[in-house]
Amino acid sequence: MKAYDKVKIARHLSRPTALDYFNYCFDDFTELHGDRLFYDDGAIVGGLAKLGGRPVTLIGIQKGRDTKENLKRNFGQASPEGYRKALRLMKQAEKFGRPVICFVNTGGAYPGMGAEERGQGEAIAKNLFELSKLKTPVISIIIGEGGSGGALALAVADRVWMLENSVYAVLSPEGFASILWKDGKRAEEAAEIMKITAHDLYDLGIVEKVIDEVPGGCHENFEFTANLIKHSLEEELPQLMAMSKDELLEKRYKRYRGFGVYNE
Amino acid sequence: MALFGKSKYWPLGFDIFGKKDEIVIKEAVESNLGETDGSGEKQEKAEDVSLRCKGCGKEIKKSEAGRYRICPDCGRYFRLGAKERIYLTADKGSFVEFDADMTAANPLDFPDYENKIAAMQSKTGIKDAVVTGRCKIGGYDCIIGAMDSSFIMASMGSVVGEKIARAFEYASENKLPVVLFAASGGARMQEGIISLMQMAKTSAAAAKHSEAGQLYISVLTDPTTGGVTASFAMLGDIIISEPKALVGFAGRRVIEGTIKQKLPDDFQTAEFQLEHGFVDLIVERENMAAKLADLIGMHYSKEGDRL
């Protein structure tokens, strides 16, 4: 399968969303709203739930399935308030010793006027800064599109996993082709050389696990992939929870510190 | 810090406090400082090239712009090369460069990337888009870094990320303030996801420096955008900007394409960021070194001890 075919599956309108996983993989999900500063960004959802009896904090970037829902969700493109809501819930999780599980699915942070006026860059930067030292385990799962800084703002974690047909990149293949070749139509070609598929990123050491989907994509069999996610979390979380805070943070720092290839 | 022993990030044989290396590096750097113009191109001493002002559009001789590279007609700043910037900021003779020979690899086997890097290196006289090192500013020891927009629009790839992260780690270990002059078009496209990870890496290093109780002053210069804005540039304890610098996250054309309308001319300027609360102060280029020294000095007692 070509990389761009995976981009199409990752963007499929029927692809399961963050809230689908919240409701299927966890018990007693209660949504919590707002950044306590400006407003409630519908592109970011979050709240409390239980996994095998253990309380967890869930945060996700939510896409809509139709136009009406997408207006509410802004097509899964978060504003600064969304990232600040996410940060509020992360700090709350830290206070109460709950692990944080993020479900990432965004083409990128919203490039709007208000988003710039209210500090999109600062909001993303602050999340990277705070997540790097958040004293509780964090697992991030790329479930569809992992678009640039807007995705990374929820993906500085102890473990980063990707669904088999999700993609994660510095920029959309369209944007990449447009910047490098001044031709957005060369997106398929860009997708091939960008190394954006789950298996490419696993090989590069960017993610620790690739979670299977049935042929055609997880919208064809949601339960199959959702069960794999649930079991993976049930296996991984107790190990992360057992680590001392110092060890956890040291390993998280080293995870990101090690990324980079250069000659000297 | 036990976690980040020198041995790992500062390989044996490269002790930057070692006398011999220090002198060699110093001489090499001093001889290069101030030898580049705003476009980063190496200049022949005798040649007085023309520069076009972004503010008034007039063409002026480089010599007319003076050492601060300011348009004599409208006051607009020309962009500075990284070494020019350090030359204008650091106390004379105090700068010692770190990681001067670090160069980009090609992690994604991106077509033609090596050639592009080699061409930029010979054009600009620097190895990648940031120069870092140790210096004094107004007598205060500090770690300095300056990005150079003439090198692939100062995009952040592995070399920029690594040098910034090492600068923070060195500063934390040695209890020194960090001053970084940001300038960037965003991520280094040719390094794909690896360049995205540099945002997390530099932010984590800034966080560690902050946790160690150390000062970080970020200076935003024209243009500071994309992944650099959304990482270390916005994480300073104090954030300064040069007047009229372009500072933002998303590009103007991308925003205009999204909202289907033209943006006002002053959108994403330093003044816009000051008004919206994302910049502490705007400082003119000719006052920058003195203001940095003042601000660093606020963190020391009269006897010179860190407060």
Side-chain angles (χ1 to χ4, degrees):
Chain A
M1 199 191 285
K2 292 252 188 206
Y4 201 76
D5 295 327
K6 292 194 180 258
V7 173
K8 285 183 194 158
I9 296 176
R11 290 175 180 169
H12 200 287
L13 265 185
S14 309
R15 194 158 175 90
T17 66
L19 283 173
D20 293 329
Y21 292 107
F22 289 5
N23 289 313
Y24 184 90
C25 302
F26 305 89
D27 301 317
D28 308 328
F29 172 62
T30 300
E31 187 169 358
L32 302 175
H33 291 272
D35 66 347
R36 300 290 191 273
L37 295 163
F38 187 71
Y39 85 134
D40 183 44
D41 184 1
I44 299 268
V45 291
L48 304 176
K50 283 187 172 170
L51 180 72
R54 178 202 304 277
V56 295
T57 287
L58 300 177
I59 301 170
I61 308 182
Q62 182 69 17
K63 286 190 185 179
R65 286 247 169 72
D66 52 40
T67 308
K68 187 172 164 242
E69 204 190 343
N70 259 324
L71 287 178
K72 180 177 172 188
R73 303 300 180 191
N74 199 27
F75 299 86
Q77 296 180 303
S79 291
E81 295 72 36
Y83 294 114
R84 290 176 187 137
K85 167 160 83 173
L87 181 57
R88 180 175 78 83
L89 297 178
M90 290 164 190
K91 298 296 280 185
Q92 191 185 75
E94 178 182 57
K95 173 177 173 181
F96 293 105
R98 291 189 290 266
V100 177
I101 305 161
C102 296
F103 290 76
V104 177
N105 188 12
T106 181
Y110 184 57
M113 219 170 146
E116 288 292 320
E117 286 167 345
R118 299 190 301 277
Q120 188 71 285
E122 189 274 346
I124 293 171
K126 181 60 87 57
N127 277 21
L128 308 181
F129 182 92
E130 293 291 342
L131 270 174
S132 77
K133 60 192 178 74
L134 196 78
K135 295 187 188 70
T136 196
V138 183
I139 296 178
S140 290
I141 311 170
I142 317 288
I143 57 168
E145 285 185 279
S148 198
L152 186 66
L154 297 188
V156 177
D158 302 299
R159 300 283 183 272
V160 180
W161 301 338
M162 286 178 77
L163 302 194
E164 189 184 346
N165 292 304
S166 62
V167 292
Y168 188 13
V170 67
L171 188 63
S172 70
E174 289 80 6
F176 191 90
S178 152
I179 286 186
L180 277 177
W181 305 316
K182 314 275 178 248
D183 183 3
K185 293 195 188 68
R186 287 170 72 183
E188 285 191 36
E189 201 183 322
E192 283 303 315
I193 58 174
M194 285 173 73
K195 299 209 168 59
I196 59 176
T197 69
H199 288 292
D200 281 341
L201 295 172
Y202 178 82
D203 290 344
L204 283 171
I206 303 291
V207 302
E208 280 88 7
K209 187 195 280 278
V210 178
I211 295 170
D212 290 345
E213 299 179 34
V214 296
C218 60
H219 57 285
E220 303 279 358
N221 188 340
F222 170 64
E223 289 79 9
F224 174 80
T225 297
N227 283 324
L228 287 178
I229 290 179
K230 186 173 183 187
H231 296 147
S232 299
L233 288 170
E234 283 170 345
E235 202 177 275
E236 195 70 42
L237 276 178
Q239 296 179 36
L240 293 176
M241 293 296 279
M243 274 185 212
S244 73
K245 300 282 184 281
D246 286 348
E247 187 187 1
L248 190 74
L249 292 190
E250 180 187 334
K251 286 187 168 160
R252 193 184 303 156
Y253 187 81
K254 283 187 172 161
R255 184 183 191 282
Y256 290 88
R257 187 66 186 82
F259 291 135
V261 186
Y262 46 86
N263 301 314
E264 58 182 334
Chain B
M1 287 228 145
L3 282 186
F4 309 104
K6 276 205 168 121
S7 58
K8 179 158 182 219
Y9 297 117
W10 299 97
L12 293 174
F14 185 63
D15 176 6
I16 61 160
F17 278 135
K19 261 273 178 287
K20 189 169 137 267
D21 285 347
E22 181 170 339
I23 291 164
V24 173
I25 293 166
K26 207 181 223 170
E27 280 172 356
V29 169
E30 291 283 315
S31 64
N32 251 333
L33 284 175
E35 289 287 309
T36 58
D37 71 1
S39 70
E41 275 179 67
K42 277 204 157 183
Q43 299 300 312
E44 295 298 321
K45 281 220 164 69
E47 198 187 350
D48 192 9
V49 293
S50 294
L51 306 168
R52 186 172 293 282
C53 173
K54 217 176 108 184
C56 62
K58 273 197 191 129
E59 205 160 279
I60 62 150
K61 291 286 178 206
K62 189 178 154 188
S63 59
E64 296 175 289
R67 64 196 298 253
Y68 292 108
R69 304 275 183 268
I70 300 173
C71 175
D73 276 5
C74 72
R76 185 65 177 248
Y77 293 174
F78 291 97
R79 289 175 181 173
L80 290 177
K83 289 189 170 175
E84 256 185 322
R85 177 79 66 183
I86 291 167
Y87 178 71
L88 290 178
T89 310
D91 295 354
K92 197 165 168 28
S94 69
F95 179 67
V96 179
E97 187 173 358
F98 294 167
D99 306 309
D101 292 322
M102 193 188 292
T103 59
N106 190 357
L108 304 189
D109 294 323
F110 195 89
D112 219 31
Y113 185 41
E114 287 97 344
N115 292 335
K116 174 142 191 133
I117 291 288
M120 292 312 299
Q121 288 175 342
S122 75
K123 186 186 163 212
T124 61
I126 52 176
K127 292 282 174 26
D128 209 292
V130 72
V131 174
T132 57
R134 189 164 59 96
C135 74
K136 286 181 191 285
I137 298 177
Y140 295 105
D141 283 312
C142 62
I143 298 302
I144 191 169
M147 299 182 78
D148 194 317
S149 62
S150 63
F151 198 102
I152 321 185
M153 268 319 291
S155 53
M156 175 160 65
S158 297
V159 173
V160 170
E162 185 65 24
K163 284 171 85 164
I164 298 274
R166 285 187 188 183
F168 275 118
E169 286 172 348
Y170 182 86
S172 308
E173 263 182 60
N174 293 285
K175 298 188 165 39
L176 293 171
V178 173
V179 176
L180 294 181
F181 289 86
S184 184
R188 179 76 53 87
M189 289 298 134
Q190 293 86 345
E191 294 188 30
I193 195 82
I194 309 281
S195 70
L196 186 69
M197 293 303 131
Q198 305 311 308
M199 291 170 63
K201 180 162 107 180
T202 55
S203 299
K208 214 167 231 321
H209 185 68
S210 180
E211 292 284 285
Q214 301 303 319
L215 173 67
Y216 165 35
I217 300 178
S218 174
V219 186
L220 313 179
T221 72
D222 188 65
T224 299
T225 63
V228 166
T229 298
S231 62
F232 64 87
M234 277 292 162
L235 295 173
D237 297 297
I238 298 171
I239 303 180
I240 302 176
S241 181
E242 282 200 325
K244 295 202 169 70
L246 168 67
V247 176
F249 174 62
R252 173 175 279 265
R253 269 180 305 156
V254 175
I255 300 170
E256 288 180 341
T258 304
I259 63 173
K260 312 277 186 249
Q261 64 185 77
K262 288 289 274 182
L263 291 167
D265 286 344
D266 67 346
F267 196 70
Q268 295 181 319
T269 56
E271 294 72 17
F272 169 98
Q273 297 296 355
L274 183 74
E275 186 187 330
H276 287 90
F278 293 99
V279 160
D280 284 292
L281 70 164
I282 294 176
V283 176
E284 295 73 23
R285 191 172 279 172
E286 53 279 40
N287 302 326
M288 188 66 79
K291 179 55 79 179
L292 287 170
D294 281 354
L295 290 171
I296 294 169
M298 298 283 180
H299 299 77
Y300 289 86
S301 72
K302 226 163 47 181
E303 291 73 35
D305 298 325
R306 249 307 298 280
L307 292 171

